[in-house]
Amino acid sequence: MLSKFNIARLVVFSAVIVWTLIVLGIAAHLDHMLVANDLTRYIPLGIFVAVATLLIVPSLIIFGFPKRPFLIQQVRLELAFVGLLGLLWFILGIVAATGPDTEVECDFDDDGQFEESDEFSTDTYHAQFHTLEAFSIFNAILLLGWFFFLLLLTLRHHRAGHTVVWRSGVTTYPWFGSAPNAGGKQMGQALPAPVTAKVMAAPSKGKDFGPTGDGQMKAGGHYIIYIPPPATTAAR
């Protein structure tokens, strides 16, 4: 069962994919209908950003859940990819929002006389243009919001001493639980109780014995045994 973190991640990425498909369709249609000039420079940028997003975001979803470790699962790579895509969508939204108001005209007879077309009018162009602009900003907000949220969680665990978080999988790391330390053990677990044992002094191999006050030998003691020399026979 997916965790709340993984569900939120999947929802964000799914919304980005849907809005990217809309932007890609509009940009491709405008590229087909309009003549390339300085006023339409946002169109190839939109196509590029949309294609890059459709390559990266589904890869983050597909390779994020298998148990087999993939390099793209690492937190540092997801931060890099999501941050880059969020910046590109933000730039596309700014370029589209700051563009001048334009009108669409057609030269039907190639006589230099431009007239508005009923098939693709100025109102139709403005509707599609503003839709592209809005979804570009929405994608930027979603991607940059997820980037800063994931970065905040990562820095929180890094400051707690869990430096392994940068190389961990985004979908498998315990973001709101006990995290593994650099050695792979879980932090926050209770340490085992200390084991105490009474150390008994082992007797020596030869089991030295010595006399006690009552003439008995006491085990475990170390004594110097004095052996007197043999008595010499007195000369007659």
Side-chain angles (χ1 to χ4, degrees):
M1 184 177 179
L2 296 178
S3 63
K4 294 181 180 179
F5 176 87
N6 289 333
I7 293 175
R9 176 178 180 269
L10 187 60
V11 169
V12 169
F13 285 170
S14 298
V16 168
I17 291 175
V18 172
W19 292 344
T20 301
L21 289 174
I22 296 175
V23 171
L24 180 60
I26 294 176
H29 177 69
L30 293 178
D31 184 66
H32 173 72
M33 296 294 295
L34 302 177
V35 178
N37 53 52
D38 291 339
L39 300 177
T40 61
R41 59 185 178 182
Y42 67 91
I43 297 177
L45 178 60
I47 294 175
F48 169 76
V49 175
V51 171
T53 303
L54 292 177
L55 289 176
I56 294 175
V57 174
S59 299
L60 293 175
I61 296 176
I62 294 172
F63 294 104
F65 292 101
K67 294 183 179 180
R68 180 183 175 184
F70 290 95
L71 188 62
I72 198 173
Q73 291 179 346
Q74 295 185 2
V75 174
R76 55 183 177 177
L77 288 183
E78 179 157 324
L79 284 172
F81 285 134
V82 173
L84 176 61
L85 291 177
L87 182 61
L88 289 176
W89 281 108
F90 180 74
I91 293 174
L92 176 61
I94 292 299
V95 171
T98 57
D101 293 333
T102 55
E103 295 183 0
V104 177
E105 294 181 342
C106 298
D107 186 5
F108 295 102
D109 301 328
D110 295 331
D111 56 358
Q113 300 294 327
F114 292 93
E115 300 176 3
E116 187 170 347
S117 172
D118 295 333
E119 180 182 357
F120 190 74
S121 63
T122 300
D123 293 336
T124 303
Y125 168 75
H126 283 169
Q128 296 184 5
F129 171 78
H130 290 305
T131 302
L132 184 147
E133 175 188 353
F135 282 116
S136 299
I137 296 176
F138 289 162
N139 273 350
I141 293 174
L142 279 181
L143 290 172
L144 291 178
W146 181 257
F147 169 79
F148 286 113
F149 174 70
L150 184 59
L151 180 62
L152 181 63
L153 290 179
T154 305
L155 292 177
R156 178 170 168 261
H157 281 267
H158 179 83
R159 293 183 60 184
H162 311 150
T163 55
V164 73
V165 63
W166 299 99
R167 300 183 300 275
S168 301
V170 177
T171 58
T172 57
Y173 191 82
W175 295 105
F176 303 101
S178 58
N181 58 12
K185 298 181 179 179
Q186 295 292 328
M187 298 293 291
Q189 293 181 347
L191 295 175
V195 179
T196 58
K198 184 177 180 180
V199 180
M200 303 296 294
S204 61
K205 249 183 179 181
K207 291 186 178 181
D208 298 332
F209 294 94
T212 60
D214 54 1
Q216 300 294 328
M217 305 300 291
K218 181 180 179 183
H222 298 274
Y223 304 96
I224 298 176
I225 307 301
Y226 171 71
I227 301 176
T232 56
T233 306
R236 292 181 179 177

